[in-house]
Amino acid sequence: MKLLRTFQELKSWRLMQNEDVGFVPTMGNLHQGHLSLLETSLSNHKASVISIFVNPMQFGPKDDFAKYPRTLEADIKLCEVLLKNHTKKELVVFAPSDTHEIYPDGFSTVISVPRFDEFLEGAMRPGHFNGVATVVFLLFQMVKPRTAYFGKKDYQQYRLIKQMARDLSLPIHVKGMPIIRDESGLALSSRNQYLSAKEKSEALYLFQTLQHIKQLFAQSIHNYEKVKNYIQKELEIDSRWQYLEVREARRLHSHLPNKGRIVILGVLKVGEVRLLDNMEVELL
Ligand code: PAF
């Protein structure tokens, strides 16, 4: 395994590789969700890169960039353990030592997919998706992967990156990977570590609600009215919801199809923690 701390080092390494590079972009503080992405990349490609970079551009004034957990040593150990099951595979941990490695002095470009700023996470966190799209674009340019792996837990982010790659004709396959949950159903997230034991059990309400809505659809695909009423009531009686919506899955339009994939997305605020989750449903 190689730990690279500068763009120059990454550039030199990349020149020695062929096209078959898999890529997992992260902000570190790795958990099983990230590791499942890396496991897939290691299985599918001769060489893989995992980036660990806490991207200042995607944090708003209310988000705590300074407090975001930075656990590079532990992250590296987890990567090393995973690599043991993949002999003959190459893994690079790209952990820029300084923000300037990604954003050189005077950097003034923004990659934006404006439609995504209008709803759900985009509406709640102004500027967030510009920061995500810009850093992912830059990392794509640096790593030049064949395939990049994103967790579907951040569903809107995953769809945004797919849209950006398509619009800009990037020669990269953006692959969405299943949400990893703990045994109770809670979607794994770096934010879970801030939950007390009591809050952890409260947090399950998010998963249970999404599952309940999924079941309503399973009973009848024409259950939109029932679902709409259920969601409206939930939002009225429980102020912990920041949003709870059903959308068409590919473009995230609010107009729902009669057939095909839809996605139920919710954010529940438990204590100080915003918990995101979603569930895809195939309407047959
Ligand atoms: O999902 C994340 O961890 C980040 O938003 C990403 C994609 C690594 C960009 O900083």
Side-chain angles (χ1 to χ4, degrees):
M1 200 187 84
K2 285 191 178 66
L3 172 66
L4 306 182
R5 306 298 314 254
T6 67
F7 174 37
Q8 198 48 53
E9 285 171 349
L10 178 69
K11 209 167 165 180
S12 307
W13 173 82
R14 187 63 188 87
L15 280 171
M16 314 282 285
Q17 311 301 313
N18 64 16
E19 279 171 21
D20 187 22
V21 171
F23 180 39
V24 179
T26 81
M27 298 210 296
N29 199 224
L30 303 182
H31 52 64
Q32 284 308 319
H34 301 111
L35 296 179
S36 73
L37 305 180
L38 189 55
E39 173 71 38
T40 308
S41 181
L42 287 168
S43 303
N44 291 352
H45 307 275
K46 203 161 164 283
S48 295
V49 176
I50 179 168
S51 63
I52 296 180
F53 176 64
V54 185
N55 171 33
M57 195 174 168
Q58 70 188 76
F59 286 77
K62 283 194 219 136
D63 305 325
D64 213 335
F65 170 69
K67 278 203 188 133
Y68 196 88
R70 287 155 172 90
T71 52
L72 186 58
E73 253 179 64
D75 293 346
I76 289 171
K77 283 208 180 99
L78 289 169
C79 292
E80 273 168 351
V81 170
L82 203 68
L83 189 61
K84 284 201 177 121
N85 300 329
H86 297 270
T87 46
K88 295 194 190 146
K89 295 292 174 90
E90 193 166 354
L91 176 60
V92 160
V93 178
F94 176 47
S97 56
D98 189 281
T99 307
H100 287 98
E101 295 297 331
I102 303 292
Y103 301 110
D105 259 343
F107 184 88
S108 34
T109 298
V110 176
I111 306 285
S112 177
V113 191
R115 190 172 74 76
F116 281 76
D117 292 335
E118 291 164 15
F119 57 92
L120 305 178
E121 285 305 289
M124 301 228 56
R125 304 177 66 187
H128 170 68
F129 280 140
N130 286 354
V132 171
T134 305
V135 80
V136 171
F137 179 82
L138 291 171
L139 289 167
F140 279 1
Q141 295 299 100
M142 293 173 179
V143 176
K144 298 185 184 10
R146 172 179 283 170
T147 306
Y149 298 88
F150 290 83
K152 282 191 182 175
K153 193 181 83 64
D154 294 305
Y155 199 86
Q156 194 178 358
Q157 165 174 284
Y158 154 62
R159 287 296 178 190
L160 166 107
I161 301 299
K162 254 187 127 52
Q163 179 82 50
M164 172 188 76
R166 183 171 176 266
D167 292 350
L168 300 179
S169 303
L170 304 181
I172 297 167
H173 182 201
V174 175
K175 199 153 169 41
M177 300 296 292
I179 298 175
I180 306 295
R181 302 179 179 281
D182 71 12
E183 59 289 346
S184 69
L186 183 66
L188 295 197
S189 160
S190 304
R191 294 178 186 172
N192 295 356
Q193 65 194 300
Y194 301 119
L195 297 170
S196 66
K198 185 170 162 277
E199 286 171 338
K200 240 186 186 152
S201 61
E202 271 180 48
L204 275 184
Y205 190 65
L206 175 56
F207 172 65
Q208 286 161 353
T209 306
L210 298 180
Q211 238 185 356
H212 179 72
I213 297 174
K214 188 172 177 169
Q215 274 155 13
L216 287 179
F217 277 116
Q219 283 160 22
S220 160
I221 60 158
H222 301 295
N223 251 349
Y224 282 162
E225 272 313 303
K226 223 175 177 174
V227 168
K228 239 169 50 193
N229 293 338
Y230 175 80
I231 288 180
Q232 205 173 352
K233 205 158 149 226
E234 264 303 306
L235 292 171
E236 270 166 28
I237 60 175
D238 194 336
S239 60
R240 292 176 306 164
W241 288 112
Q242 293 201 336
Y243 58 76
L244 178 61
E245 284 190 28
V246 184
R247 290 194 169 239
E248 177 277 328
R250 274 168 150 266
R251 304 262 175 261
L252 294 179
H253 290 310
S254 53
H255 182 74
L256 301 183
N258 286 325
K259 228 176 148 187
R261 192 171 297 184
I262 57 169
V263 59
I264 313 155
L265 308 112
V267 168
L268 190 74
K269 189 136 189 238
V270 177
E272 288 306 305
V273 187
R274 287 183 83 235
L275 293 172
L276 275 81
D277 201 352
N278 67 79
M279 250 174 229
E280 291 178 302
V281 183
E282 197 72 39
L283 301 179
L284 300 171

